[in-house]
Amino acid sequence: MATGCNADASAGLFRQISESSAPIGIVYRQLLGFNTAKDTLFYRTVDGIYSTDLSTKSTLVQSSEGNLIQAAYYNATKQKVLYLSNADADKIKWKDTATQGEFSPTSTSISSNSSLRNLYANGLVMMKGLDASSNKVFSLLQYDELSDSIPAAPKVDFTGINDYSLGSVLQMTGRETEAVSPATPIIVSFVNTDSSYIHYYFDGTTKTELSSATFGSIRFAGFSLIDGTLYILSTNGELFGGTVGGTFTKMYDASKTYDEYAFMYAVTDGSNTHIITKPSSASASLYIFSFAKNDTSSTNVSTASIRYGYGEYLDSADIVSAYVISPNIATANSAISSITHTLLVATNTNGMYKIEIESGTASSNDTTNGTTSESEAYTF
């Protein structure tokens, strides 16, 4: 019996597999944002902190065995990078165009056993210690651009968690460098030894505990906020929808595994919302949840795997960081027709890509959904 194949389709498939799986020698860790002119990108790899204007790559801080850089933040106005390293676990080092130094952050809420837990890409600093009553407290501080310091007065404290450890501090995919606000909130999760969770939603001013009845045993992979409706993805592939301070519905169970800090990016054309995700499996394609805008019901969710268009080269790619070039968050939320979302997507070993997502056709598994650059062929 004779058999045949579509030569063009096969060639495209082989190109896709080759492009998505070929290591390129750069192990990305964080995208840190742009300078004020928007012509130079700053980022962190396992080898250090770098910048590029697409023609020249510059080294800001080199990572080494005795100075392994573990987290970083770039402030464009000050032209300064802050970073954590294993060289001194309780100090945040900094370097600008001419000088370098260090901060030793403290929190007014912590009386003893103070320790520095993490630095985030928007300048937040997590501290841990004991308060005046010897109860455990986690304090989030914020680098202040005007005073060029890390003030000791916390933006928010987390208390009543003596039996809990810090689980994660989730930010919206691609918006990690943006200041915490009602449009770009964070979710801070704490976990007990019995795998029970407490999740707090923080919008820069108000801290709200999310329903323990719904989420007390749920580990979060990521979240998206679209026009006031919050969507939360669990690490076992359950999608929940609701409003902060209100109830949540389990909308869909994808029966897929996700890591904490998974790629989870939402778009809308005013009529429908599409949430694009990347499961943890190395061979998994992008996976999209689609439903009517602001819907949180469990009956109207459709799903699809995306292997073409913006998803062409992200099969077998471990996404570690993303940066939204456009649109800004207000435009993204208020869209009433299809708009183009442009992101940089950095991977663990496959390089960086520029993808463009058309919000009106984002769920189509074909080239009408958007485009992607090849590895390291991104522009901005």
Side-chain angles (χ1 to χ4, degrees):
M1 181 176 62
T3 61
C5 69
N6 183 321
D8 291 338
S10 297
L13 175 62
F14 291 139
R15 186 186 77 252
Q16 177 182 348
I17 293 172
S18 175
E19 178 67 30
S20 66
S21 61
I24 51 86
I26 303 175
V27 181
Y28 286 101
R29 285 294 175 258
Q30 283 180 295
L31 299 182
L32 302 175
F34 286 87
N35 61 349
T36 54
K38 303 296 184 183
D39 60 7
T40 302
L41 173 69
F42 293 79
Y43 59 92
R44 180 172 70 89
T45 75
V46 293
D47 296 317
I49 302 172
Y50 301 90
S51 66
T52 180
D53 61 5
L54 299 180
S55 61
T56 302
K57 173 182 172 181
S58 300
T59 303
L60 281 73
V61 183
Q62 190 75 43
S63 198
S64 63
E65 184 174 347
N67 187 41
L68 294 175
I69 299 170
Q70 299 162 329
Y73 158 67
Y74 173 71
N75 184 278
T77 302
K78 294 293 186 182
Q79 300 182 64
K80 173 178 289 189
V81 62
L82 281 63
Y83 62 96
L84 287 180
S85 81
N86 66 342
D88 196 333
D90 288 319
K91 296 185 184 299
I92 294 177
K93 300 180 184 296
W94 59 263
K95 185 175 183 180
D96 59 23
T97 55
T99 57
Q100 57 187 7
E102 59 187 28
F103 297 115
S104 298
T106 59
S107 168
T108 55
S109 298
I110 294 176
S111 299
S112 61
N113 291 22
S114 178
S115 64
L116 174 59
R117 303 300 296 171
N118 210 348
L119 168 69
Y120 301 96
N122 57 1
L124 287 175
V125 176
M126 181 66 84
M127 304 291 297
K128 173 191 173 184
L130 301 178
D131 64 15
S133 300
S134 296
N135 291 311
K136 186 185 294 185
V137 57
F138 285 86
S139 284
L140 265 180
L141 312 179
Q142 174 73 62
Y143 170 80
D144 181 65
E145 182 181 286
L146 292 178
S147 63
D148 191 19
S149 66
I150 302 174
K155 285 188 70 67
V156 64
D157 286 329
F158 302 93
T159 57
I161 50 173
N162 281 343
D163 297 326
Y164 288 78
S165 300
L166 180 64
S168 61
V169 178
L170 296 179
Q171 300 163 272
M172 292 171 62
T173 293
R175 307 280 181 188
E176 289 91 344
T177 64
E178 299 182 27
V180 179
S181 73
T184 54
I186 62 174
I187 295 179
V188 182
S189 299
F190 298 91
V191 59
N192 204 335
T193 54
D194 64 359
S195 296
S196 60
Y197 289 85
I198 299 176
H199 304 283
Y200 291 100
Y201 179 97
F202 180 61
D203 66 3
T205 302
T206 303
K207 177 183 69 175
T208 304
E209 182 179 350
L210 299 177
S211 170
S212 59
T214 303
F215 296 122
S217 61
I218 303 294
R219 184 183 182 195
F220 291 176
F223 74 95
S224 297
L225 182 69
I226 289 283
D227 196 26
T229 305
L230 179 63
Y231 298 97
I232 295 172
L233 182 66
S234 75
T235 55
N236 61 0
E238 296 172 311
L239 180 69
F240 297 84
T243 55
V244 176
T247 59
F248 283 80
T249 301
K250 183 165 75 171
M251 299 173 63
Y252 195 85
D253 185 352
S255 297
K256 294 180 180 293
T257 301
Y258 291 85
D259 295 325
E260 283 182 324
Y261 307 101
F263 181 90
M264 181 181 180
Y265 187 74
V267 301
T268 184
D269 61 3
S271 299
N272 297 296
T273 291
H274 307 286
I275 298 180
I276 305 158
T277 69
K278 182 67 165 72
S280 58
S281 171
S283 60
S285 61
L286 295 179
Y287 188 76
I288 190 166
F289 302 86
S290 300
F291 42 86
K293 186 180 180 183
N294 293 327
D295 190 9
T296 60
S297 70
S298 59
T299 58
N300 299 312
V301 179
S302 61
T303 62
S305 294
I306 304 297
R307 297 180 180 275
Y308 298 98
Y310 62 81
E312 181 176 0
Y313 294 142
L314 294 176
D315 276 7
S316 303
D318 179 14
I319 299 174
V320 296
S321 188
Y323 183 90
V324 180
I325 296 176
S326 66
N328 62 35
I329 191 66
T331 301
N333 281 336
S334 62
I336 58 173
S337 60
S338 184
I339 61 174
T340 302
H341 291 245
T342 304
L343 290 77
L344 294 176
V345 179
T347 70
N348 189 33
T349 57
N350 300 336
M352 192 189 311
Y353 303 85
K354 176 183 176 181
I355 66 172
E356 293 184 330
I357 304 167
E358 301 301 329
S359 65
T361 52
S363 62
S364 299
N365 186 29
D366 55 44
T367 56
T368 65
N369 68 28
T371 62
T372 178
S373 72
E374 294 186 358
S375 176
E376 294 300 299
Y378 57 88
T379 58
F380 44 76

